[in-house]
Amino acid sequence: MASLSVKYDAENYSYKLSFSSNLNSFDAVYKIGLPVNFDYKPVRSVDGFVAGVIFAAMESGEDLDVEQAMTLKGLQNLTYFIEAWANLLPERYKRIKLNASEIANLPALAGNQAVLAFSGGVDACFSLIRNAEADWADAAFDVQYVLGVQGFDIGKEKFEEYDQLMARVAPIYEQYGCQRLKVWTDLKDNSRQDWNMSHAAQLASCLFLFSEHFPVAMIGSSEPYKDFYLPWGSTPATDYLLSGRMAVVHDGAGFTRTQKVERIAKNELATSLVKVCYQLGYNNNCGHCEKCYRTRLNFYAVGQIEPLCFDTPIDFKQLGRIKFNREGKLKQLKSIYDYVIQKDIKQAWVTYLKYIIIKNYILYHSPPKLWLRKLKYTLKRK
């Protein structure tokens, strides 16, 4: 039997999580940083902490005894989450039972206030902007706080780098009057859970530290509905099953990355400060890596030839040297191509993009014959 216990240190606004199983045992710490005049309320259920270790528990194959209270909603949703992953990767993740010491009967928080996970990338910027500017009118979430985590993409020991990143992207959320919450954690390093599969669950565990303040925890989507793939750690198929004391919203999957950039391009601060790569550190984009080139093409497609988030002009010869040997990355290139075809954009770079797509499919993938036939037909028409 695996076990989970959590202790709160009120003096230091920190939690210590202890997980034990025959396969993997560890402690992890969460330290909370708060803006001035934020009156923090400690959690009354440990739904988020269970989410933070759920992949370690499933990998052990042992039922999990939770020594503190969970909400019924959290217990039910995480049980569905376990079933989903036991179906997706049965050789790695097993069906286990969660045994909560108590079911906390907590009233739902009123309102539509949301805390948004935010590191300044395209997905988070899109979610912030479209909710803060009420693209949905009355259906938009009220995002007054964003959360920046140290210990995930930014290593737990990289304090200076974390500060550099936050200094760069702060004007994006501050233009809407938002404030930043911080969580430092060593959960990723200590738990040794597969980050590709567990990143949304571990992120949710940090968002849930504020479950007595906000009814909604928001995670920006990565792939759109039409291109998302499983198994992967954050998709609209599984993220909502992390909901418990807070509702977890997987935001933006109805939009491609180019459509998100199209929305961001209408905001001058976001266009100049969006952070998409870490090749040059934490306060600049390198402009030459695979992710930077995909983002440059996103901006090209929406008419932004030289967005201010890049310091140098694009070099299309460099694009031809990049290996798009992962299907997800190549799908994003094809998504850009589909966008420009739909918009009837006829420029030289579009022809080159078609060449890059075909070249990488031939070199690194076994493309569906039907898709190739359609692409060849399209090329003949151009």
Side-chain angles (χ1 to χ4, degrees), residues 7-19:
K7 294 181 179 179
Y8 176 59
D9 181 347
E11 184 176 348
N12 296 303
Y13 295 109
S14 67
Y15 294 85
K16 181 180 179 180
L17 171 159
S18 296
F19 174 83

Side-chain angles (χ1 to χ4, degrees), residues 153-194:
D153 291 339
I154 302 175
K156 66 181 188 295
E157 74 287 350
K158 295 185 176 181
F159 293 93
E160 183 178 349
E161 291 86 345
Y162 176 87
D163 290 341
Q164 289 174 353
L165 174 62
M166 290 301 144
R168 175 189 171 93
V169 302
I172 302 174
Y173 60 80
E174 287 176 348
Q175 67 181 310
Y176 300 113
C178 294
Q179 298 185 75
R180 174 171 57 89
L181 305 166
K182 178 182 178 179
V183 170
W184 178 98
T185 183
D186 54 9
L187 174 67
K188 178 184 177 184
D189 288 351
N190 291 1
S191 69
R192 302 182 301 279
Q193 299 172 102
D194 184 341

Side-chain angles (χ1 to χ4, degrees), residues 257-275:
R257 186 175 175 86
T258 303
Q259 289 171 328
K260 290 182 178 182
V261 167
E262 184 177 28
R263 183 65 182 89
I264 290 170
K266 298 175 183 178
N267 184 291
E268 184 176 352
L269 274 174
T271 301
S272 61
L273 297 174
V274 62
K275 187 76 169 75

